[in-house]
Amino acid sequence: MDTDHITNYKRILLNNFSDIDGQTILDYGCGTGDFIGIMLSKSLPKKIIAIDSSQEMMNSVSVRFKSYIEDGIVVPVIAHDPSSV
């Protein structure tokens, strides 16, 4: 799958969600944050907890969403073991 196809799929998936304004969202396996960006472009959740096991991915999320992290909307968490979250 190419990146545009995956991004379109994520947009379609998000359109099937109910309204996420003011909700707390868990994005487990967030990668570089593509889904986070789509969610933030659609509405403003209360909080997005972005979890990934890769420090490299968390670094990308930290750069891409710096202002949202500073505002407490995006919370990056690195976790190798899902039971530790």
Side-chain angles (χ1 to χ4, degrees), residues 52-70:
D52 204 283
S53 62
S54 166
Q55 185 64 54
E56 183 179 341
M57 296 298 133
M58 285 291 94
N59 291 344
S60 178
V61 167
S62 295
V63 170
R64 287 182 68 187
F65 303 104
K66 181 180 180 188
S67 64
Y68 290 101
I69 292 169
E70 291 170 352

Side-chain angles (χ1 to χ4, degrees), residues 8-44:
N8 287 334
Y9 175 76
K10 289 177 182 178
R11 287 182 200 283
I12 291 168
L13 181 63
L14 185 58
N15 286 335
N16 289 316
F17 289 174
S18 60
D19 186 14
I20 62 172
D21 282 346
Q23 300 296 315
T24 298
I25 309 293
L26 173 65
D27 186 358
Y28 187 80
C30 66
T32 60
D34 293 339
F35 203 55
I36 296 168
I38 294 169
M39 286 188 280
L40 291 172
S41 71
K42 179 179 168 83
S43 62
L44 190 57

